[in-house]
Amino acid sequence: MSLKIGEKMLLYIHIPFCDSKCHYCSFNSYVDKFDLRQNYMLALAQQLKFELHNFGVNRGEIESLFIGGGTPSTVAPILYEPIFSMITPLLKDGAEVTTEANPNSATNSWLKGMFNLGVNRVSFGVQSFQKEKLKALNRAHSPSDAIEAINRAKEIGFEHISLDLIYNYQGDTQELLGKDIKQAFQLPINHISAYELTIESQTKFYNTPEVKQEDENLAFFVADEITKHGFKQYEISNFGTYESSHNQGYWQLKDYIGVGAGAVGFKKDRRYYPTTSIDNYINDPLEIREELITQEELLTERIFLGLRSSIGIDRKFLTPEIQQRCDFLVKEEKLIKENNLYKNRNFFISDEIALYILG
């Protein structure tokens, strides 16, 4: 399963610890396992060593690293040091190195520690600058925590700063979301991820689905307001003057290593799933389930992801029938054709277009 020399790939590290469980969160995260942090990071280093060897990663071949969660800012920088000592020599020059963070736990010392390890991009889980909405979502920070954390990150020297916003929560209006967006642009950011609230099973909101609004106009409003400030929409939920190379790597179906309980890895036509249980992961971080993906499934993913983003779909991957449907949509001005790429004019109808293309 080794890579060809010089072939670039992505690396994802999952931190499953959280200081609070958001009512909408379906990710693999825990609020009651903090005593396991040190052992978890040791297990994570063990799996990382195995994966780097297994994927045959050489110097300069990791083009981006993303530390997600959970909440990476609940783990002290010193516990990341063994991970970075392994990864740093393998990063390509100028690699994007991102960590997620919550405003309440991204202290000055934590941000400095991560910056010194080589992190150059931080993505803050802000969700809103409205106190009542934060409380309703069960976020652990206040609006002022978010503002202070983002300003701190800039002062420390982070090159790229992003924040998340959520819309279509019960009671959201254009006025309220407009205030959130206005506040966001008063901060030193170059990227925003704006997500529509989704109701997932095994979340607190699953029992109260009415907390989600069905107002598709708010999606267009949020996108318009963000792009008015000069940020380009390069995917259905992502905007910036800077476009994350890690995000784009996923949408291009590049190979990536996934390390940690609940992470996912991907190589050519296979996915790799480490165990989701923190306790089981610590006991055996190499218990990894493998799933074969068919060519048809890969094509479907390529089409859905390409149409949701500025990546588009390369004609060479498509069957003659799908090419014909795409050409028809170009004539109907639903798609744009640039050289051999089909690109979507409206990300918000990407799923409908994909379903039509796939027949």
Side-chain angles (χ1 to χ4, degrees):
M1 166 169 123
S2 63
L3 297 165
K4 294 174 190 168
I5 299 294
E7 193 172 337
K8 298 289 188 287
M9 64 179 319
L10 323 173
L11 172 60
Y12 174 78
I13 292 174
H14 188 72
I15 305 297
F17 306 103
C18 263
D19 34 32
S20 66
K21 185 76 169 176
C22 303
H23 291 340
Y24 54 84
C25 177
S26 62
F27 293 126
N28 192 47
S29 61
Y30 303 85
V31 297
D32 56 353
K33 303 268 187 183
F34 285 118
D35 56 319
L36 299 178
R37 278 178 290 193
Q38 189 163 0
N39 286 338
Y40 176 81
M41 296 303 282
L42 290 170
L44 201 150
Q46 189 183 337
Q47 189 206 345
L48 177 61
K49 186 177 180 183
F50 168 80
E51 299 288 10
L52 292 173
H53 174 74
N54 206 25
F55 274 65
V57 183
N58 296 291
R59 185 174 288 272
E61 289 182 352
I62 297 175
E63 64 178 319
S64 67
L65 162 63
F66 194 100
I67 306 169
T71 309
S73 49
T74 57
V75 173
I78 194 168
L79 294 180
Y80 287 100
E81 284 180 6
I83 304 292
F84 274 86
S85 68
M86 271 190 270
I87 295 166
T88 302
L90 304 174
L91 292 171
K92 78 165 192 180
D93 288 345
E96 177 186 277
V97 182
T98 305
T99 183
E100 291 182 330
N102 274 357
N104 55 299
S105 50
T107 61
N108 200 52
S109 61
W110 187 84
L111 287 166
K112 275 186 180 172
M114 298 305 281
F115 181 78
N116 291 337
L117 286 173
V119 176
N120 52 30
R121 180 171 182 263
V122 59
S123 177
F124 287 99
V126 172
Q127 316 315 350
S128 177
F129 293 99
Q130 313 300 320
K131 195 181 291 184
E132 298 76 17
K133 184 172 172 180
L134 289 171
K135 189 177 177 184
L137 296 173
N138 204 37
R139 298 296 291 166
H141 66 272
S142 67
S144 60
D145 288 338
I147 292 165
E148 288 163 17
I150 290 167
N151 284 324
R152 270 200 304 269
K154 182 65 177 176
E155 285 164 17
I156 286 165
F158 283 97
E159 189 179 354
H160 303 295
I161 301 172
S162 178
L163 63 82
D164 295 349
L165 295 175
I166 280 184
Y167 64 89
N168 261 336
Y169 172 73
Q170 181 181 28
D172 276 351
T173 61
Q174 290 189 6
E175 184 186 9
L176 188 147
L177 293 167
K179 283 180 183 174
D180 275 351
I181 293 163
K182 185 180 177 185
Q183 174 60 72
F185 279 101
Q186 289 171 2
L187 296 168
I189 59 169
N190 60 6
H191 190 278
I192 289 177
S193 295
Y195 299 109
E196 183 172 30
L197 178 66
T198 54
I199 304 293
E200 307 267 8
S201 61
Q202 298 178 325
T203 66
K204 183 90 169 174
F205 279 163
Y206 188 68
N207 298 318
T208 55
E210 65 275 10
V211 299
K212 175 179 165 55
Q213 288 186 172
E214 300 295 340
D215 185 351
E216 63 181 28
N217 291 324
L218 279 185
F220 292 107
F221 171 79
V222 167
D224 287 345
E225 283 298 298
I226 294 173
T227 54
K228 271 183 200 170
H229 285 83
F231 277 22
K232 178 188 169 189
Q233 184 179 20
Y234 70 107
E235 191 261 353
I236 196 166
S237 304
N238 286 279
F239 307 77
T241 52
Y242 173 81
E243 300 178 17
S244 166
S245 63
H246 193 88
N247 289 348
Q248 291 174 317
Y250 284 148
W251 307 329
Q252 290 168 311
L253 290 184
K254 289 189 176 180
D255 295 334
Y256 56 89
I257 294 174
V259 180
V264 180
F266 173 74
K267 176 79 168 69
K268 299 292 178 271
D269 61 355
R270 290 168 202 279
R271 282 211 175 82
Y272 302 93
Y273 300 92
T275 180
T276 54
S277 158
I278 294 181
D279 301 270
N280 292 348
Y281 182 80
I282 289 168
N283 289 334
D284 183 7
L286 304 186
E287 182 196 328
I288 300 166
R289 180 171 61 85
E290 186 176 315
E291 175 190 43
L292 183 64
I293 311 164
T294 67
Q295 289 306 304
E296 190 180 346
E297 288 166 336
L298 284 170
L299 177 60
T300 298
E301 282 191 36
R302 197 177 291 282
I303 288 169
F304 272 92
L305 293 169
L307 292 174
R308 281 176 58 100
S309 68
S310 59
I311 299 296
I313 317 164
D314 196 318
R315 188 178 170 87
K316 72 181 179 188
F317 294 115
L318 305 178
T319 65
E321 294 130 326
I322 292 176
Q323 287 178 9
Q324 205 170 6
R325 290 192 197 106
C326 287
D327 289 333
F328 171 74
L329 290 175
V330 172
K331 276 185 197 168
E332 293 293 308
E333 298 187 344
K334 299 291 185 189
L335 293 179
I336 302 164
K337 192 175 178 188
E338 291 179 2
N339 300 318
N340 281 323
L341 286 178
Y342 293 107
K343 294 195 170 185
N344 189 3
R345 288 173 174 271
N346 180 357
F347 296 146
F348 290 113
I349 58 167
S350 58
D351 288 356
E352 291 89 333
I353 292 175
L355 291 169
Y356 170 78
I357 288 171
L358 289 162

